[in-house]
Amino acid sequence: MGKRKDKRQLSQFSGIDTEVILTKDLEDEAIYSVQKLFIDNYHEANLRYLEECFNRMRCLTLAKDDGIPIGFSLGDSVKINLPRFEEPQSVVLHGLGCIEDKYRKIGLFKHLQKLSSSLGDPIPSGSRRLICGRVAHPVSFKGISLNESVVPKINIIPTKWQQEIGKLIAQLYGVEFDEETFIVRSSAGAIGYPKIKVEASKADWNIFRNVDRESGESLLAIVWYPDAPKDWYKE
């Protein structure tokens, strides 16, 4: 099954239609809608970066209001062998996403992120999974950083186990990876610069101090949900 439509009737999403599509099945109209949303929401939007995301992520969620595209999220879910685990583990990969300005404060972005992994490998409800994403500013890092298991942390070098897993996840994204900082670099170059006001303190920016955004760098952030495996924090 290559796509799934879903009309949400929850109050905050009333009237918003969402469609989950496998990226390999994308038609020109959907590609154009995503490109336009990307360009509308980023200064210097890099379409090569978007193309890289299409190639790496298997799922796209596209949201429309009265037939007009208002947001999208790329993502995937896989069941793979991770270092030091006896059984394959569920991994959620968050990709690029954009939401039109007036829809940003109703929880739609997180909703689309969740849907964007729904056509990947199934994840049983309540089971442990590793959630991953590339982040380039404090707004995108804030939510994920509240989880105690998050890597990276400011001024803390990841453990060898965390580095081993980070390296494998970076390979799934197709990016270069620095094990000690979790800085990754895309061969497609810089994504661009979001057209939103990033409200963050100097302390919030500190973890990004060595990230060279202009060269295509960002941070690879990973967290376990609902809990981390035993010895996750041990060296």
Side-chain angles (χ1 to χ4, degrees):
M1 182 175 177
K3 64 174 66 177
R4 187 182 72 219
K5 291 188 176 181
D6 181 20
K7 185 157 187 171
R8 292 291 165 180
Q9 295 301 327
L10 300 175
S11 60
Q12 68 267 43
F13 305 134
S14 179
I16 295 176
D17 292 297
T18 58
E19 185 175 14
V20 187
I21 314 167
L22 291 175
T23 51
K24 69 180 182 63
D25 296 331
L26 286 177
E27 298 178 355
D28 289 344
E29 182 180 358
I31 294 173
Y32 174 76
S33 295
V34 171
Q35 288 176 335
K36 186 177 185 305
L37 284 165
F38 182 36
I39 292 170
D40 287 348
N41 285 276
Y42 274 78
H43 297 290
E44 302 176 31
N46 181 356
L47 292 180
R48 285 184 58 231
Y49 188 99
L50 177 61
E51 183 66 25
E52 178 191 69
C53 291
F54 281 145
N55 292 335
R56 291 286 174 177
M57 303 288 105
R58 289 185 294 176
C59 307
L60 166 73
T61 303
L62 185 62
K64 296 180 181 180
D65 189 357
D66 198 23
I68 299 173
I70 60 169
F72 74 89
S73 178
L74 285 153
D76 207 344
S77 61
V78 295
K79 193 104 173 183
I80 59 172
N81 293 313
L82 293 177
R84 310 192 194 190
F85 283 96
E86 294 182 359
E87 301 290 337
Q89 301 296 304
S90 295
V91 175
V92 175
L93 302 169
H94 289 317
L96 178 61
C98 293
I99 301 289
E100 290 287 19
D101 185 60
K102 73 175 185 178
Y103 298 92
R104 285 179 183 159
K105 295 185 178 181
I106 61 172
L108 182 60
F109 184 73
K110 288 185 178 180
H111 179 60
L112 297 186
Q113 273 192 326
K114 183 177 180 179
L115 290 177
S116 67
S117 62
S118 62
L119 289 182
D121 296 346
I123 300 176
S125 178
S127 67
R128 179 186 291 148
R129 76 285 312 264
L130 183 68
I131 300 174
C132 315
R134 289 184 287 174
V135 295
H137 55 76
V139 173
S140 56
F141 186 61
K142 184 176 181 180
I144 203 168
S145 67
L146 297 177
N147 186 310
E148 183 185 7
S149 68
V150 68
V151 180
K153 287 185 171 73
I154 188 67
N155 297 326
I156 297 177
I157 296 177
T159 67
K160 292 298 182 184
W161 189 19
Q162 293 166 357
Q163 291 177 22
E164 291 168 7
I165 289 180
K167 182 178 181 180
L168 190 150
I169 299 302
Q171 291 172 356
L172 296 179
Y173 279 106
V175 292
E176 298 176 25
F177 175 69
D178 182 274
E179 295 178 350
E180 291 194 355
T181 64
F182 269 53
I183 291 175
V184 293
R185 178 181 292 184
S186 167
S187 61
I191 180 176
Y193 302 88
K195 296 178 182 179
I196 59 173
K197 184 178 180 181
V198 178
E199 297 181 356
S201 66
K202 289 183 178 180
D204 292 331
W205 278 105
N206 201 19
I207 198 166
F208 296 94
R209 64 184 183 275
N210 294 318
V211 174
D212 182 2
R213 191 181 178 110
E214 292 186 2
S215 70
E217 290 183 352
S218 57
L219 287 180
L220 174 64
I222 62 175
V223 298
W224 290 99
Y225 180 85
D227 55 10
K230 182 181 178 182
D231 297 335
W232 179 243
Y233 308 102
K234 288 186 178 181
E235 181 52 61

